[in-house]
mmCIF file of all heavy atoms in Angstrom:
data_model
loop_
_atom_site.group_PDB
_atom_site.id
_atom_site.type_symbol
_atom_site.label_atom_id
_atom_site.label_comp_id
_atom_site.label_asym_id
_atom_site.label_seq_id
_atom_site.Cartn_x
_atom_site.Cartn_y
_atom_site.Cartn_z
ATOM 1 N N GLY A 115 -34.970 1.219 -7.013
ATOM 2 C CA GLY A 115 -34.488 0.834 -8.376
ATOM 3 C C GLY A 115 -34.170 2.020 -9.192
ATOM 4 O O GLY A 115 -33.530 1.987 -10.308
ATOM 5 N N SER A 116 -34.469 3.320 -8.711
ATOM 6 C CA SER A 116 -34.134 4.593 -9.400
ATOM 7 C C SER A 116 -32.968 5.164 -8.707
ATOM 8 O O SER A 116 -32.948 5.435 -7.467
ATOM 9 C CB SER A 116 -35.170 5.436 -9.544
ATOM 10 O OG SER A 116 -35.680 5.810 -8.429
ATOM 11 N N TYR A 117 -31.792 5.432 -9.419
ATOM 12 C CA TYR A 117 -30.554 5.967 -8.758
ATOM 13 C C TYR A 117 -30.493 7.458 -9.048
ATOM 14 O O TYR A 117 -30.247 7.915 -10.213
ATOM 15 C CB TYR A 117 -29.319 5.144 -9.355
ATOM 16 C CG TYR A 117 -29.324 3.702 -8.909
ATOM 17 C CD1 TYR A 117 -30.136 2.794 -9.512
ATOM 18 C CD2 TYR A 117 -28.605 3.500 -7.773
ATOM 19 C CE1 TYR A 117 -30.169 1.496 -8.984
ATOM 20 C CE2 TYR A 117 -28.578 2.071 -7.268
ATOM 21 C CZ TYR A 117 -29.359 1.102 -7.884
ATOM 22 O OH TYR A 117 -29.369 -0.128 -7.334
ATOM 23 N N GLU A 118 -30.611 8.188 -8.004
ATOM 24 C CA GLU A 118 -30.804 9.643 -8.173
ATOM 25 C C GLU A 118 -29.518 10.459 -8.038
ATOM 26 O O GLU A 118 -29.477 11.615 -8.123
ATOM 27 C CB GLU A 118 -31.809 10.197 -7.089
ATOM 28 C CG GLU A 118 -33.234 9.763 -7.371
ATOM 29 C CD GLU A 118 -33.514 8.363 -6.762
ATOM 30 O OE1 GLU A 118 -32.708 7.803 -6.176
ATOM 31 O OE2 GLU A 118 -34.704 8.002 -6.850
ATOM 32 N N LEU A 119 -28.456 9.770 -7.430
ATOM 33 C CA LEU A 119 -27.200 10.511 -7.150
ATOM 34 C C LEU A 119 -26.028 9.682 -7.643
ATOM 35 O O LEU A 119 -25.977 8.380 -7.447
ATOM 36 C CB LEU A 119 -27.067 10.795 -5.741
ATOM 37 C CG LEU A 119 -25.898 11.672 -5.359
ATOM 38 C CD1 LEU A 119 -26.147 13.122 -5.448
ATOM 39 C CD2 LEU A 119 -25.401 11.350 -3.962
ATOM 40 N N GLY A 120 -25.017 10.255 -8.301
ATOM 41 C CA GLY A 120 -23.860 9.530 -8.695
ATOM 42 C C GLY A 120 -22.571 10.276 -8.185
ATOM 43 O O GLY A 120 -22.480 11.367 -8.046
ATOM 44 N N ILE A 121 -21.612 9.340 -7.852
ATOM 45 C CA ILE A 121 -20.303 9.862 -7.401
ATOM 46 C C ILE A 121 -19.338 9.340 -8.412
ATOM 47 O O ILE A 121 -19.117 8.115 -8.492
ATOM 48 C CB ILE A 121 -19.907 9.359 -5.880
ATOM 49 C CG1 ILE A 121 -20.992 9.721 -4.895
ATOM 50 C CG2 ILE A 121 -18.677 9.914 -5.483
ATOM 51 C CD1 ILE A 121 -20.990 8.906 -3.635
ATOM 52 N N ASN A 122 -18.669 10.141 -8.999
ATOM 53 C CA ASN A 122 -17.798 9.753 -10.272
ATOM 54 C C ASN A 122 -16.454 9.314 -9.924
ATOM 55 O O ASN A 122 -15.815 9.905 -9.057
ATOM 56 C CB ASN A 122 -17.784 10.944 -11.204
ATOM 57 C CG ASN A 122 -17.210 10.545 -12.553
ATOM 58 O OD1 ASN A 122 -17.607 9.570 -13.140
ATOM 59 N ND2 ASN A 122 -16.167 11.248 -13.003
ATOM 60 N N TYR A 123 -16.115 8.174 -10.528
ATOM 61 C CA TYR A 123 -14.740 7.750 -10.510
ATOM 62 C C TYR A 123 -14.196 8.006 -11.892
ATOM 63 O O TYR A 123 -14.832 7.643 -12.891
ATOM 64 C CB TYR A 123 -14.491 6.228 -10.174
ATOM 65 C CG TYR A 123 -13.116 5.810 -10.498
ATOM 66 C CD1 TYR A 123 -12.069 6.150 -9.771
ATOM 67 C CD2 TYR A 123 -12.975 4.877 -11.509
ATOM 68 C CE1 TYR A 123 -10.881 5.787 -10.098
ATOM 69 C CE2 TYR A 123 -11.725 4.486 -11.862
ATOM 70 C CZ TYR A 123 -10.640 4.903 -11.193
ATOM 71 O OH TYR A 123 -9.313 4.444 -11.518
ATOM 72 N N LEU A 124 -13.032 8.770 -12.001
ATOM 73 C CA LEU A 124 -12.419 9.040 -13.287
ATOM 74 C C LEU A 124 -11.053 8.235 -13.353
ATOM 75 O O LEU A 124 -10.131 8.512 -12.583
ATOM 76 C CB LEU A 124 -12.194 10.608 -13.492
ATOM 77 C CG LEU A 124 -11.491 10.950 -14.803
ATOM 78 C CD1 LEU A 124 -12.429 10.626 -15.928
ATOM 79 C CD2 LEU A 124 -11.291 12.492 -14.711
ATOM 80 N N ASN A 125 -10.998 7.344 -14.318
ATOM 81 C CA ASN A 125 -9.931 6.525 -14.515
ATOM 82 C C ASN A 125 -8.678 7.462 -15.057
ATOM 83 O O ASN A 125 -8.892 8.071 -16.056
ATOM 84 C CB ASN A 125 -10.217 5.432 -15.653
ATOM 85 C CG ASN A 125 -9.080 4.448 -15.794
ATOM 86 O OD1 ASN A 125 -7.857 4.764 -15.534
ATOM 87 N ND2 ASN A 125 -9.445 3.238 -16.237
ATOM 88 N N PRO A 126 -7.546 7.508 -14.181
ATOM 89 C CA PRO A 126 -6.513 8.351 -14.687
ATOM 90 C C PRO A 126 -5.915 7.999 -15.995
ATOM 91 O O PRO A 126 -5.110 8.858 -16.557
ATOM 92 C CB PRO A 126 -5.527 8.326 -13.449
ATOM 93 C CG PRO A 126 -5.795 6.994 -12.768
ATOM 94 C CD PRO A 126 -7.361 6.750 -12.995
ATOM 95 N N SER A 127 -6.156 6.754 -16.399
ATOM 96 C CA SER A 127 -5.708 6.345 -17.637
ATOM 97 C C SER A 127 -6.421 6.707 -18.879
ATOM 98 O O SER A 127 -6.122 6.546 -19.995
ATOM 99 C CB SER A 127 -5.381 4.834 -17.727
ATOM 100 O OG SER A 127 -4.622 4.391 -16.683
ATOM 101 N N ALA A 128 -7.626 7.258 -18.571
ATOM 102 C CA ALA A 128 -8.616 7.546 -19.621
ATOM 103 C C ALA A 128 -8.224 8.983 -20.305
ATOM 104 O O ALA A 128 -8.879 10.023 -19.925
ATOM 105 C CB ALA A 128 -10.037 7.586 -19.051
ATOM 106 N N THR A 129 -7.482 8.857 -21.393
ATOM 107 C CA THR A 129 -7.203 10.037 -22.222
ATOM 108 C C THR A 129 -8.275 10.145 -23.341
ATOM 109 O O THR A 129 -9.193 9.294 -23.291
ATOM 110 C CB THR A 129 -5.817 9.938 -22.707
ATOM 111 O OG1 THR A 129 -5.760 8.680 -23.490
ATOM 112 C CG2 THR A 129 -4.730 9.954 -21.699
ATOM 113 N N GLN A 130 -8.029 11.001 -24.145
ATOM 114 C CA GLN A 130 -9.197 11.224 -25.288
ATOM 115 C C GLN A 130 -9.258 9.933 -26.025
ATOM 116 O O GLN A 130 -10.378 9.811 -26.495
ATOM 117 C CB GLN A 130 -8.574 12.360 -26.159
ATOM 118 C CG GLN A 130 -9.060 13.680 -25.790
ATOM 119 C CD GLN A 130 -10.437 13.902 -25.447
ATOM 120 O OE1 GLN A 130 -10.816 13.970 -24.274
ATOM 121 N NE2 GLN A 130 -11.328 13.802 -26.379
ATOM 122 N N ALA A 131 -8.383 9.191 -26.192
ATOM 123 C CA ALA A 131 -8.466 7.929 -26.964
ATOM 124 C C ALA A 131 -9.257 7.047 -26.375
ATOM 125 O O ALA A 131 -9.785 5.920 -26.962
ATOM 126 C CB ALA A 131 -7.029 7.312 -27.237
#
Side-chain angles (χ1 to χ4, degrees):
S116 60
Y117 289 83
E118 292 88 356
L119 187 85
I121 307 164
N122 191 49
Y123 166 68
L124 180 63
N125 189 331
S127 306
T129 56
Q130 274 309 109

